[in-house]
Amino acid sequence: VQLQASGGGLVEAGGSLRLSCAASGSFFSRSAMAWYRQAPGKQRELVGAIGSDGGTKYADSVKGRFTISRDNAKNTVYLQMNSLKPEDTAVYYCNAAGLRAGAGYAYWGQGTQVTVSS
């Protein structure tokens, strides 16, 4: 199982980026998918999550600016980030979690750097 994140980069404050995370394997459609981020010197935090039923939740700091979505046909989860702020600068990681054969699983992508300049 692999999660391949892409789409990070350098953007000015107020700009937009779209992150993608492509998953291998047959587990994607029944997994909850999420984006986390970790800034230097800080703990990793949840940015947004989307369940297998399409339900979503977001960190308060990104509500109204970020949108998480998934395309089960492409085994891909997206994070559309608008109105970016310098404090959004971090390495962004995608995560897949769920149950399989009665056991929980969690997989992480390699991370993609997002840098927002002021």
Side-chain angles (χ1 to χ4, degrees):
V1 174
Q2 287 188 327
L3 299 176
Q4 184 69 39
S6 62
L10 174 63
V11 64
E12 291 184 349
S16 298
L17 284 173
R18 188 175 83 152
L19 305 183
S20 300
C21 176
S24 63
S26 60
F27 67 98
F28 181 85
S29 63
R30 59 182 180 272
S31 297
M33 302 298 298
W35 287 96
Y36 288 75
R37 67 186 180 187
Q38 187 167 19
K42 294 188 177 181
Q43 290 188 334
R44 190 172 297 189
E45 63 175 357
L46 177 69
V47 176
I50 184 166
S52 57
D53 61 355
T56 59
K57 66 176 180 180
Y58 298 93
D60 288 343
S61 59
V62 307
K63 282 181 181 176
R65 300 188 298 122
F66 291 10
T67 303
I68 189 170
S69 61
R70 64 191 298 161
D71 185 337
N72 289 340
K74 296 182 178 180
N75 281 7
T76 301
V77 62
Y78 305 97
L79 184 69
Q80 178 66 44
M81 305 185 293
N82 299 328
S83 302
L84 282 160
K85 304 176 181 180
E87 52 263 43
D88 295 317
T89 295
V91 178
Y92 284 70
Y93 299 90
C94 61
N95 170 272
L99 290 173
R100 182 171 55 209
Y105 62 84
Y107 302 113
W108 292 90
Q110 85 285 7
T112 185
Q113 176 71 47
V114 171
T115 303
V116 184
S117 63
S118 57

